[in-house]
């Protein structure tokens, strides 16, 4: 089983739609969680961190469910410019305390007019 | 801008030749990482470093070695390149053990 799993999509949605992505992780001792956005042929860029209490940044809402070991990203009122691949990332805790940031394979989102 | 520079940005090399990719950072961060990205696999960790001369293997380390003799430079070496190592390679830094990562612009490597 992969350490971090995402639905690969693609998600094809019209402008204005609400879309949600989920990401599951296997290491219950994971310490921190993130969502990244990656445009075609570019490097991943941090979209938002995910906090235990949930957090919102404009049209984007991230949530963490530790009991079920998943994080989610909700995008409201989708824009054409939201078209990209969304990657979740998890810092699992390993012995020795050195954390590695592990990524899911990414979910592709295509927003159409 | 996290001050990360990867070089070269593009490279075509022949099977069996050695290749070294360089990641340079200007912020003195302790944690540095090399990932490769391939369609259907996302970002996979090759090697990482948590300080000068302190490195460890990631999930896809076979065929790769790394060195970190200075805080600012993390080198990835393919001792004898194979076609399966054709990929986009990203370097990343973290400011702390539990923080987010910031990425360089990537190196597109083609092994023919």
């Amino acid at each position: 089983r992969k350490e971090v799993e995402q639905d690969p999509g693609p998600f094809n949605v019209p402008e204005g739609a609400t879309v949600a992505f989920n990401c599951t992780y296997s290491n219950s001792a994971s310490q921190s969680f993130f969502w990244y956005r990656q445009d075609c042929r570019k490097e991943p860029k941090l979209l938002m961190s995910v906090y235990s209490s949930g957090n919102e940044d404009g049209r984007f809402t991230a949530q963490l469910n530790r009991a079920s070991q998943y994080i989610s990203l909700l995008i409201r009122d989708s824009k054409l410019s939201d078209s990209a691949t969304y990657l979740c990332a998890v810092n699992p805790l390993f012995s020795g305390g050195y954390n590695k940031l592990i990524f899911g394979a990414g979910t592709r989102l295509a927003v159409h007019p | 801008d996290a001050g990360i520079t990867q070089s070269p940005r593009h490279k075509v090399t022949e099977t069996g030749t050695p290749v070294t990719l360089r990641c340079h950072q200007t912020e003195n961060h302790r944690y540095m990482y090399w990932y490769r990205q391939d369609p259907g696999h996302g970002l996979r960790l090759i090697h990482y470093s948590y300080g000068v001369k302190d490195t460890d293997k990631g999930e896809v380390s076979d065929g790769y070695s790394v060195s970190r003799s200075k805080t600012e430079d993390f080198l990835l070496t393919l001792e004898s390149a194979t076609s399966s190592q054709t990929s986009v390679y990203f370097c990343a830094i973290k400011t702390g053990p539990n923080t987010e990562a910031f990425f360089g612009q990537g190196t597109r490597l083609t092994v023919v």
Side-chain angles (χ1 to χ4, degrees):
Chain A
R1 182 187 171 187
K2 290 184 179 179
E3 290 187 69
V4 180
E5 295 200 68
Q6 285 183 257
D7 181 342
F11 284 59
N12 293 299
V13 303
E15 276 186 289
T18 295
V19 61
F21 307 134
N22 284 333
C23 171
T24 59
Y25 60 94
S26 60
N27 187 321
S28 60
S30 295
Q31 305 255 298
S32 51
F33 310 85
F34 308 95
W35 282 102
Y36 282 77
R37 171 194 169 121
Q38 186 174 26
D39 294 300
C40 190
R41 301 177 78 85
K42 298 284 191 180
E43 73 272 23
K45 294 190 175 177
L46 181 70
L47 179 65
M48 57 198 304
S49 303
V50 187
Y51 303 121
S52 297
S53 54
N55 48 301
E56 191 172 303
D57 183 2
R59 297 181 293 107
F60 298 84
T61 300
Q63 292 194 311
L64 166 64
N65 185 317
R66 283 195 183 271
S68 300
Q69 294 182 209
Y70 75 85
I71 62 173
S72 63
L73 177 69
L74 183 77
I75 306 175
R76 290 181 299 278
D77 190 21
S78 298
K79 311 290 185 193
L80 294 175
S81 56
D82 293 333
S83 297
T85 296
Y86 291 84
L87 301 154
C88 62
V90 176
N91 266 322
L93 178 63
F94 296 98
S95 62
Y98 297 118
N99 289 10
K100 304 182 284 187
L101 194 58
I102 306 297
F103 285 82
T107 298
R108 193 154 58 89
L109 172 66
V111 182
H112 57 83
Chain B
D1 184 2
I4 307 167
T5 306
Q6 289 186 234
S7 58
R9 295 290 315 281
H10 301 271
K11 187 171 182 66
V12 179
T13 192
E14 292 187 351
T15 300
T17 60
V19 177
T20 295
L21 309 183
R22 180 183 184 231
C23 178
H24 177 79
Q25 57 144 330
T26 59
E27 305 289 326
N28 242 19
H29 295 302
R30 183 179 171 192
Y31 302 91
M32 297 185 76
Y33 302 78
W34 276 108
Y35 292 89
R36 61 178 287 177
Q37 187 172 37
D38 306 287
H41 291 280
L43 284 159
R44 291 183 291 175
L45 184 63
I46 306 172
H47 280 278
Y48 61 106
S49 169
Y50 30 87
V52 173
K53 294 187 175 12
D54 274 330
T55 64
D56 207 345
K57 295 179 180 180
E59 59 181 309
V60 290
S61 59
D62 287 348
Y64 301 95
S65 62
V66 289
S67 67
R68 191 158 178 211
S69 58
K70 298 185 289 185
T71 300
E72 59 266 36
D73 288 324
F74 192 30
L75 305 180
L76 176 71
T77 298
L78 291 65
E79 302 291 347
S80 177
T82 67
S83 58
S84 65
Q85 293 176 311
T86 292
S87 187
V88 180
Y89 291 85
F90 286 104
C91 172
I93 61 96
K94 287 169 64 179
T95 58
N98 287 320
T99 65
E100 66 273 25
F102 297 96
F103 286 84
Q105 292 178 296
T107 295
R108 194 168 295 273
L109 176 68
T110 302
V111 183
V112 297

